[in-house]
Amino acid sequence: QVQLVESGGGLVQAGGSLRLSCAASGRPFSSYAMGWFRQAPGKEREFVAGISWSGSSTYYADSVKGRFTISRDNAKNTVYLQMNDLKPEDTAVYYCAAGLRVGGPFSSWGQGTQVTVSS
């Protein structure tokens, strides 16, 4: 398995931006499709964005399309989530995950990073 560590979360006002990073170690990062998920208080974890191992294909939840961008740098073993025009409903713990296919299942998960958007 690959080990994942997220960073970049924090408190931001509505309309602001944050960039989350997820650093991977262990097995070759470029072998994995990557995904970002989030879980808000009292809600189930939901898919946010996914990217293929090469970075050539990306997928987004409808709620974040046009505002969030997922990308990866295989040379740095890192996947990113650029979040723009943040809304209070984006408040959640954000997790990155690795799997053999972008459609899942995802076998490795990070510990999460908190994103809080104030109105």
Side-chain angles (χ1 to χ4, degrees):
Q1 290 189 341
V2 63
Q3 290 75 48
L4 304 172
V5 179
E6 303 97 334
S7 61
L11 173 64
V12 64
Q13 289 188 334
S17 297
L18 282 174
R19 188 176 81 155
L20 305 183
S21 299
C22 174
S25 61
R27 299 186 68 178
F29 176 70
S30 59
S31 301
Y32 291 91
M34 300 296 296
W36 284 98
F37 294 76
R38 66 187 182 187
Q39 187 167 20
K43 295 187 177 181
E44 294 187 353
R45 186 176 297 183
E46 65 174 357
F47 171 80
V48 174
I51 189 166
S52 61
W53 66 270
S54 66
S56 61
S57 298
T58 57
Y59 306 86
Y60 297 94
D62 288 343
S63 59
V64 306
K65 279 182 182 176
R67 300 188 298 121
F68 290 12
T69 302
I70 188 171
S71 62
R72 66 189 296 161
D73 185 337
N74 286 345
K76 295 183 177 179
N77 292 348
T78 302
V79 63
Y80 305 97
L81 185 67
Q82 178 67 43
M83 305 186 294
N84 298 329
D85 189 23
L86 282 160
K87 303 176 180 182
E89 51 264 41
D90 294 317
T91 295
V93 177
Y94 284 71
Y95 300 88
C96 70
L100 295 181
R101 303 177 65 179
V102 71
F106 291 89
S107 56
S108 298
W109 293 81
Q111 83 290 348
T113 186
Q114 176 71 47
V115 172
T116 303
V117 184
S118 63
S119 57

